[in-house]
Amino acid sequence: MIYPSNSDKTQLDALISQGISERHTNNSLANSYKEQRQQFLVKRLQLQAQIMLIAGLTLITFFLWTNSHLEGKIYAFKIGIVVELFTLICWGLCKTHIGRRYPDLIFLSLCWSVTCAVQIDIALLFNDLEPRNNFWTLMFLTQATIIPVQWWMHLISQVGTIICYLTLYLLYNPILKNPLTSYAEQGLYFFWTCLICVFSVYLYERLRTKEFYARKAMEIAQQKSERLLLNILPAMIAEQLKQQPKTIADSFLEVTVLFADIVGFTELSTRTSPAALVELLNTIFCLFDQLAELHGVEKIKTIGDAYMAVAGLPNQSNNHATVIADMALDMQNAIAVFNVENNQLFRIRIGISTGPVVAGVIGLKKFAYDLWGDTVNTASRMESHGIAGSIQVCEATYQLLKDKYLLEKRGLIQVKGKGEMMTYILKEINLKA
């Protein structure tokens, strides 16, 4: 037999009370959001790279078609090829482990491969420099619409482009070909383009973040509700109730029902504080719950200091009697261990009966899964007419256990509402069987 240790009980209590700290939950959600955002970023970077490759090809074709000078066509082709090459490399990196791990670098590389690379190419080829605001604006608007996450990264890409241009301007010191007001106007338009892009990304990501945490909070609430429902109802019945909320009632031809009562608990309640009394009872019933889960037994309910369980439903099985017998013997051992550890003298009186029952959920409020039928009444009588510290079973249960367990014939006893009944005391497993 397996007995619950103190550490197992502590773990069970922690699980039942859901003793997970708020900080740990928040950290998990934050990590989950970052992972989701990173996956989104990588997918959108691949999309942006594809769009940039197509756009680059159209621009190269346009410059080659409109430029009448061979030298101009060669320069346009060189600049276009460099930009396309950078974009192609970034697209390939998005599909590698490096790209998935450092998407921020791919983001900046895609941006600067158009904005900075074009400026550098022009400076190197023509020894001249002009602010290519049309390229810049196109790139920043594309990023803000296709990759609307991490506003600070958009800001870095814009600032980096400006720093690159100013550095080249100081190195090459080109002659201004247009009036200063024209450059100021372009700068003003560019400033507001960047500001609107960054601000729109910031607002979009705030909305996405709130939506993500709201959805996660709803999922957590649903999981808590699910766990609470499964603490009240068997999983199969809970699913039926969710799918079709109506009265649920099923007949089972043969199950085994167990009733257990803690002897002496009522007397203890007269000289023990309510809080200490409930704590003791909770500890004992948690041990029983552990055993029910261990043996695959369905706990039905507790009534004061009585514990009711059943085997053979809602999932029908052929070994329901042996499962209940094993649990009953383990319950006795668990109480013995509990008494030693807590300096108590509790004993339990257990009654077991086998036969048909009706099981279901009734009512509108505070509903619970319950059993009805003569088998339930007999199990209750086996317990109430039993002997403290013993396990009393009826004739039907005896017939299913006699080959595997040692049972002692108690004889005929007068049972309220039933008359005389032959009963047996379950002792232990028959090791010779």
Side-chain angles (χ1 to χ4, degrees):
M1 301 298 174
I2 300 176
Y3 309 121
S5 64
N6 286 337
S7 61
D8 291 337
K9 178 182 175 300
T10 302
Q11 292 175 5
L12 181 67
D13 291 342
L15 182 61
I16 292 173
S17 62
Q18 298 175 17
I20 303 172
S21 67
E22 190 72 23
R23 182 181 301 175
H24 177 72
T25 303
N26 290 339
N27 289 342
S28 298
L29 287 177
N31 291 336
S32 177
Y33 175 72
K34 288 179 181 178
E35 291 172 1
Q36 187 186 81
R37 184 178 63 185
Q38 188 155 328
Q39 293 172 1
F40 172 81
L41 180 57
V42 172
K43 289 180 180 178
R44 287 303 179 91
L45 283 172
Q46 294 182 41
L47 176 61
Q48 185 190 11
Q50 294 169 6
I51 292 174
M52 287 172 59
L53 285 170
I54 297 172
L57 289 174
T58 60
L59 290 172
I60 292 173
T61 304
F62 174 78
F63 288 137
L64 291 176
W65 180 54
T66 57
N67 204 317
S68 58
H69 299 289
L70 179 61
E71 186 179 359
K73 290 184 177 182
I74 293 173
Y75 283 147
F77 183 75
K78 286 182 178 180
I79 294 172
I81 287 299
V82 170
V83 173
E84 291 289 275
L85 183 61
F86 273 120
T87 306
L88 193 61
I89 292 172
C90 291
W91 184 25
L93 286 174
C94 287
K95 300 182 178 183
T96 65
H97 176 71
I98 296 174
R100 289 191 293 269
R101 189 171 182 179
Y102 303 105
D104 301 354
L105 298 180
I106 306 296
F107 177 93
L108 296 175
S109 300
L110 272 173
C111 173
W112 291 338
S113 67
V114 173
T115 58
C116 298
V118 169
Q119 297 295 334
I120 294 171
D121 286 347
I122 292 173
L124 292 174
L125 292 173
F126 299 104
N127 197 28
D128 193 4
L129 193 66
E130 280 293 319
R132 305 289 171 174
N133 282 356
N134 50 349
F135 286 130
W136 298 358
T137 302
L138 179 63
M139 172 53 61
F140 298 143
L141 285 174
T142 302
Q143 286 182 325
T145 52
I146 295 180
I147 315 175
V149 292
Q150 296 181 314
W151 64 268
W152 53 268
M153 201 163 59
H154 291 258
L155 183 60
I156 290 174
S157 69
Q158 295 163 9
V159 172
T161 299
I162 296 171
I163 291 174
C164 175
Y165 174 76
L166 292 177
T167 302
L168 292 171
Y169 181 85
L170 293 174
L171 290 174
Y172 288 90
N173 193 21
I175 299 173
L176 297 178
K177 298 178 180 179
N178 298 310
L180 188 61
T181 54
S182 175
Y183 290 95
E185 182 182 1
Q186 290 185 50
L188 190 61
Y189 276 116
F190 179 68
F191 169 78
W192 279 108
T193 298
C194 292
L195 184 63
I196 291 171
C197 287
V198 172
F199 190 59
S200 64
V201 170
Y202 169 75
L203 292 178
Y204 179 81
E205 186 160 25
R206 278 193 64 184
L207 181 63
R208 277 180 60 91
T209 305
K210 289 181 179 179
E211 181 185 357
F212 175 84
Y213 282 103
R215 187 170 64 252
K216 285 297 180 181
M218 185 178 295
E219 289 176 3
I220 291 173
Q222 288 175 344
Q223 290 172 3
K224 289 181 178 179
S225 298
E226 186 76 15
R227 286 195 295 266
L228 182 61
L229 189 61
L230 291 177
N231 280 337
I232 299 172
L233 302 173
M236 183 186 299
I237 302 303
E239 190 61 32
Q240 289 181 17
L241 200 61
K242 287 190 295 183
Q243 296 295 332
Q244 195 172 4
K246 64 175 185 178
T247 300
I248 296 175
D250 298 296
S251 296
F252 297 88
L253 294 178
E254 189 176 77
V255 301
T256 299
V257 181
L258 174 149
F259 272 89
D261 184 72
I262 303 174
V263 180
F265 199 84
T266 304
E267 180 186 350
L268 180 65
S269 64
T270 60
R271 47 187 174 84
T272 306
S273 67
L277 190 71
V278 171
E279 180 65 27
L280 279 173
L281 190 61
N282 180 64
T283 302
I284 293 171
F285 282 173
C286 282
L287 291 173
F288 292 170
D289 288 345
Q290 267 190 311
L291 293 174
E293 186 173 357
L294 177 66
H295 291 288
V297 170
E298 191 67 46
K299 173 187 175 181
I300 299 301
K301 60 185 174 182
T302 59
I303 310 166
D305 59 349
Y307 190 93
M308 179 184 177
V310 63
L313 63 80
N315 296 313
Q316 300 184 45
S317 63
N318 296 323
N319 63 337
H320 49 83
T322 58
V323 165
I324 285 290
D326 289 339
M327 178 173 172
L329 292 171
D330 283 353
M331 289 170 73
Q332 285 187 325
N333 293 332
I335 284 292
V337 174
F338 176 84
N339 287 337
V340 172
E341 293 177 349
N342 295 273
N343 195 27
Q344 297 291 338
L345 298 174
F346 291 130
R347 289 182 297 170
I348 55 172
R349 187 172 54 234
I350 299 176
I352 299 175
S353 177
T354 300
V357 298
V358 174
V361 180
I362 60 173
L364 296 175
K365 295 182 179 180
K366 297 182 180 179
F367 49 80
Y369 191 64
D370 210 345
L371 308 180
W372 298 273
D374 186 63
T375 303
V376 178
N377 297 332
T378 301
S380 178
R381 296 290 184 265
M382 290 295 101
E383 178 273 312
S384 60
H385 291 69
I387 304 170
S390 68
I391 304 169
Q392 182 165 250
V393 304
C394 68
E395 179 69 32
T397 306
Y398 168 77
Q399 293 299 329
L400 295 174
L401 299 179
K402 63 182 181 179
D403 295 330
K404 296 181 181 179
Y405 297 83
L406 297 177
L407 295 102
E408 179 183 300
K409 185 176 181 180
R410 186 185 179 190
L412 293 172
I413 62 170
Q414 190 69 29
V415 177
K416 182 181 178 181
K418 302 288 292 182
E420 288 189 340
M421 293 187 67
M422 180 64 70
T423 62
Y424 303 83
I425 303 299
L426 174 63
K427 292 294 185 178
E428 59 183 342
I429 294 177
N430 187 359
L431 298 177
K432 297 179 181 180

